[in-house]
Amino acid sequence: MKEKLLYYFSRPAWLMGWVILVILLLYGQVLSFDYVWDDNIIFGPRLNTTQNPLDFAELGRPFLQNIGYFRPLAILTFFMDVYIAGYNPEFSHGVNLVLHILNSLLVLVVCQRILDRIGRAPSIYPPFLAALIYAVHPAMTETAAWISGRFDLLATFFILSATWAYISLHGKWLKVTLVSLLTFLALLCKETGALFPVAILCVGAALHTPSDAERGKTFYLEILRENAVLLSALMTVFLVYIALRLQAQGDAYFQKFDRFNLTYLYEKSFLALETIKFYLRQAFFPFHGISAQHPVSYAVSPWSMADILGNIATLLIMATVVVFAVRKHSRSAWIFLSGFAYLLLVLHIIPIFIGENLGHERFLATPLAFWAIAIAMARYDAIIDSPRLRHFFSSRRVPSARSLAWLLAAWWILLLIFTTFLHIPDWKNDLALWRRAYSLYPDDAYTQYQYFSSMLFGGLVDQAEEKLKALEEKNGSLDVEFQVLYGDVLMRKRDAEGLNYLEGIIHSVRQFQLHKQENAAELLRASALPFGLVGYAYASYSEAVLLFGNDPEKALELVEIARWYFAAASALEKAEFVTFTDARRIAYLYILGKYEEADALRMDMQSVFSPDALWSVIRPILAFYCQDSSRNACRELAARNIFPEKRR
């Protein structure tokens, strides 16, 4: 009876069910998570198709400043999210969860097909192990728990599907057609798809059994000959992709190979080894250091002996894998190299902007799928059952080598599950995300700014003030971006000093006056300050002018300047900032008696943001301004039932 139950519950369908169940138990909590980080930019007014007609030009336009990616298919899914469910993070998180499940099951299927092709004895356990590793790995929390991680999820889905088609289909033209189509779809989701030809040659080498006559160069020539038609088709696909990219953005590559970027290439080239070490560590020992940020500045700090030994170990590991692939024809080594190929774009070998980070866990979404397969299909029995190990364990009162190997594997997977469980909540909201990053990199300026601002916007005003004062005491002064934050702290505490503080920033920093210049756009591009930061400062200053200067006309003028800076930041408007600026604008219009204009703007904004979200900004401004109830504007607002009653 026991054997029958074990057989029944180990059937392929049941094992797939176990993978799905584990993912749902771990990641089900993400359905309650909010928009986080770049989600606030993506899920803004641009996705409202009732106001912005959807066409190819719109799909080809990136969301982020200075990042010239071309990912129309992935962007289309964001439009579909809003079209189907509105601005609903629960729905969008659900889509990502389904994609993570599908990718994990594809890892199982691809692993099974590879084992079938190489003639390995039929067994569902290695594919199940590969799928389980991929499903519960901590490096996948960024893509699975963060809506913006969908770029990587979709690219991985199509790459795994193309790999399955390459392994499984027998008809030459059917295989070439389907693999080329799936690769094209992967390219439309993320640039990772461009590396598919390199990776698939490694997969082809793993599937091919070389004869004695095919050793050495002949073996690789045979692999190229077998895949010549497919490689030609993939080159055509890539040229079509480049043509579409040129049509949408005017450039095949967003960085110019000028003196600046060539210098960047030279200066950062030494990071390649450090980056490889980072990704290997995050893949095989991800039990510390999972975070949204991994600043380069921490990687290039003076090396310790541990760093040097780590780099030597990285070189030895990569050399060993290459030797096993080339000299020993290890199939798992070739699969490992196929996964490694998908990292080539993010090893700091070419100038790609990733926010001055050494790397991100989301870049492991595709490589990890193949590394999990390589781990599961490796021939451990050749080591475990070697005569020397058998003699060693038999001569001592310890478990057998096989039992010890299973025990270590089980502990490793349990640690993966536990670490993932701990870090999924990091993506619940901005405050949780940046609290985690700050705990690892407290001296990184970008992480500091994001953490302090998330505290401020999360209502922890006193804590944000405490952190800013501690930073000022440590450094002797605050940089301008932190000064703007501190000015907003004073405003949120309704401290009249906020007016003078923000006014001082506005008048003393040259970049805050660029809107007055005829060539403002060019000057802004040359400015070291983020455009949105300038707009943020003007938005806070406008509120100070209203509340402490009692000048709603000037406040409205200043908030229009803030909107100009946000618009100048790019052709896009960041959703988070647009909420604050336009909500302030609505409040100022009400105070000035321009009720129809204010109501029209409010109704327009409610197509994107909930009424409560808008009123959470509008109401405190009106409440503070109308502490002096004798003001005519306040009496009129009360008479019109706009204030002080709570609106629904």
Side-chain angles (χ1 to χ4, degrees):
M1 181 66 178
K2 181 179 178 181
E3 289 76 11
K4 287 184 177 180
L5 285 175
L6 183 62
Y7 170 77
Y8 181 75
F9 286 111
S10 64
R11 294 170 66 182
W14 271 103
L15 292 178
M16 287 184 176
W18 293 128
V19 172
I20 295 172
L21 179 62
V22 168
I23 292 175
L24 291 177
L25 289 175
L26 272 177
Y27 283 95
Q29 58 185 301
V30 304
L31 297 178
S32 64
F33 289 5
D34 206 346
Y35 294 129
V36 176
W37 199 8
D38 289 347
D39 297 344
N40 292 309
I41 300 173
I42 292 174
F43 286 84
R46 177 179 166 185
L47 294 186
N48 187 352
T49 54
T50 61
Q51 297 179 351
N52 303 302
L54 183 60
D55 53 24
F56 177 74
E58 189 66 30
L59 291 176
R61 189 158 58 96
F63 280 93
L64 303 179
Q65 298 170 228
N66 304 318
I67 307 294
Y69 59 65
F70 176 66
R71 304 171 183 176
L73 183 56
I75 290 175
L76 176 62
T77 68
F78 295 132
F79 277 96
M80 292 173 63
D81 283 6
V82 174
Y83 181 78
I84 295 171
Y87 290 87
N88 182 357
E90 181 179 1
F91 180 85
S92 298
H93 279 298
V95 172
N96 279 30
L97 184 56
V98 169
L99 285 170
H100 182 48
I101 290 173
L102 291 176
N103 287 343
S104 300
L105 296 181
L106 275 171
V107 168
L108 186 150
V109 172
V110 169
C111 184
Q112 183 64 64
R113 292 299 299 134
I114 291 175
L115 294 176
D116 291 343
R117 282 287 304 273
I118 64 177
R120 190 78 64 85
S123 174
I124 193 61
Y125 295 112
F128 173 68
L129 176 63
L132 185 63
I133 291 171
Y134 188 78
V136 305
H137 200 284
M140 292 304 300
T141 56
E142 185 168 356
T143 52
W146 183 36
I147 298 171
S148 296
R150 192 178 302 174
F151 296 110
D152 297 272
L153 288 172
L154 283 169
T156 302
F157 173 79
F158 289 118
I159 285 171
L160 287 171
S161 299
T163 304
W164 172 87
Y166 174 82
I167 297 169
S168 303
L169 299 180
H170 299 290
K172 180 178 180 180
W173 294 108
L174 176 61
K175 176 191 290 189
V176 169
T177 302
L178 187 55
V179 170
S180 300
L181 175 61
L182 290 168
T183 304
F184 181 61
L185 294 176
L187 275 167
L188 296 182
C189 295
K190 195 172 181 182
E191 296 75 11
T192 311
L195 297 167
F196 181 80
V198 179
I200 207 63
L201 287 176
C202 294
V203 174
L207 299 177
H208 193 87
T209 303
S211 62
D212 292 337
E214 290 181 349
R215 297 291 178 180
K217 293 182 180 179
T218 308
F219 171 70
Y220 303 107
L221 291 174
E222 179 64 19
I223 297 297
L224 289 173
R225 187 191 65 78
E226 287 182 357
N227 294 282
V229 175
L230 176 60
L231 292 175
S232 299
L234 292 175
M235 177 58 70
T236 303
V237 163
F238 185 71
L239 291 175
V240 172
Y241 165 78
I242 292 296
L244 291 174
R245 187 184 180 105
L246 285 170
Q247 181 182 352
Q249 299 185 356
D251 290 305
Y253 183 62
F254 77 99
Q255 294 279 21
K256 306 294 183 184
F257 284 95
D258 51 19
R259 182 177 179 181
F260 173 81
N261 281 310
L262 289 174
T263 302
Y264 172 96
L265 179 62
Y266 171 75
E267 291 177 347
K268 296 297 172 68
S269 59
F270 76 95
L271 284 175
L273 180 60
E274 194 71 27
T275 308
I276 294 171
K277 181 177 73 174
F278 165 78
Y279 284 119
L280 290 178
R281 184 179 69 244
Q282 298 304 88
F284 295 96
F285 300 99
F287 311 118
H288 173 74
I290 296 293
S291 170
Q293 291 287 294
H294 299 283
V296 168
S297 58
Y298 276 74
V300 298
S301 56
W303 282 352
S304 63
M305 182 56 68
D307 292 322
I308 295 172
L309 292 175
N311 288 334
I312 293 173
T314 300
L315 284 173
L316 289 175
I317 290 169
M318 293 306 302
T320 302
V321 171
V322 171
V323 168
F324 267 77
V326 174
R327 304 292 297 177
K328 305 287 188 180
H329 191 68
S330 166
R331 301 182 193 274
S332 57
W334 277 116
I335 296 298
F336 180 91
L337 290 177
S338 73
F340 182 79
Y342 291 109
L343 283 174
L344 293 177
L345 289 178
V346 291
L347 294 181
H348 296 279
I349 298 172
I350 60 175
I352 289 182
F353 178 80
I354 57 172
E356 291 300 320
N357 280 276
L358 184 65
H360 289 295
E361 280 85 4
R362 63 179 178 272
F363 297 153
L364 281 171
T366 305
L368 191 61
F370 292 90
W371 291 354
I373 293 172
I375 292 170
M377 64 181 286
R379 299 303 299 262
Y380 302 104
D381 51 349
I383 301 173
I384 293 173
D385 295 333
S386 65
R388 288 185 178 181
L389 274 183
R390 282 188 174 183
H391 175 72
F392 176 84
F393 283 98
S394 62
S395 63
R396 292 165 174 81
R397 294 183 177 181
V398 294
S400 67
R402 187 174 295 275
S403 299
L404 186 61
W406 275 109
L407 183 64
L408 290 175
W411 270 108
W412 186 66
I413 291 175
L414 286 173
L415 282 173
L416 292 181
I417 294 172
F418 180 70
T419 306
T420 298
F421 178 76
L422 287 181
H423 289 295
I424 289 174
D426 292 346
W427 294 91
K428 183 175 183 178
N429 52 46
D430 283 307
L431 182 60
L433 180 69
W434 295 110
R435 181 190 292 120
R436 168 61 182 169
Y438 183 78
S439 69
L440 294 174
Y441 309 109
D443 295 325
D444 178 62
Y446 180 81
T447 303
Q448 289 172 340
Y449 181 82
Q450 294 293 339
Y451 180 43
F452 300 166
S453 61
S454 67
M455 293 173 72
L456 188 58
F457 297 139
L460 303 178
V461 180
D462 291 334
Q463 292 90 326
E465 181 181 24
E466 181 182 336
K467 289 289 184 183
L468 286 165
K469 286 182 175 178
L471 183 64
E472 183 177 22
E473 183 178 351
K474 177 182 178 181
N475 297 337
S477 63
L478 291 175
D479 290 336
V480 65
E481 61 267 29
F482 295 104
Q483 291 179 32
V484 173
L485 272 183
Y486 188 70
D488 198 19
V489 166
L490 294 175
M491 279 305 309
R492 290 170 186 264
K493 297 189 74 172
R494 298 310 187 222
D495 187 335
E497 180 59 27
L499 176 60
N500 295 328
Y501 192 90
L502 288 165
E503 192 172 65
I505 299 173
I506 296 281
H507 292 326
S508 62
V509 181
R510 183 183 63 84
Q511 289 89 339
F512 283 65
Q513 309 301 322
L514 294 181
H515 62 281
K516 301 176 182 178
Q517 308 296 324
E518 291 184 4
N519 59 337
E522 290 75 14
L523 292 172
L524 277 169
R525 275 191 286 271
S527 170
L529 286 179
F531 308 158
L533 177 67
V534 183
Y536 175 30
Y538 269 100
S540 296
Y541 181 43
S542 72
E543 192 172 335
V545 166
L546 172 76
L547 300 183
F548 303 117
N550 190 23
D551 192 344
E553 291 282 0
K554 185 178 179 182
L556 186 61
E557 177 186 336
L558 290 169
V559 87
E560 292 295 344
I561 295 174
R563 296 182 81 250
W564 183 91
Y565 275 99
F566 290 136
S570 65
L572 314 172
E573 292 180 315
K574 293 188 176 182
E576 186 177 0
F577 288 132
V578 170
T579 302
F580 296 143
T581 52
D582 281 350
R584 284 185 173 103
R585 190 163 157 240
I586 292 168
Y588 304 161
L589 289 170
Y590 277 135
I591 290 170
L592 288 168
K594 300 179 180 181
Y595 305 111
E596 291 184 4
E597 187 178 348
D599 285 336
L601 178 59
R602 181 168 55 81
M603 295 304 296
D604 184 53
M605 292 303 298
Q606 284 180 190
S607 64
V608 180
F609 306 104
S610 70
D612 282 345
L614 288 175
W615 282 104
S616 68
V617 180
I618 298 169
R619 192 179 298 110
I621 295 174
L622 298 181
F624 191 83
Y625 182 78
C626 288
Q627 283 181 339
D628 183 357
S629 58
S630 64
R631 288 171 172 166
N632 292 332
C634 297
R635 288 198 298 269
E636 183 64 22
L637 288 170
R640 288 175 174 266
N641 198 30
I642 294 174
F643 174 81
E645 286 79 14
K646 186 174 182 180
R647 303 281 295 190
R648 289 290 183 187

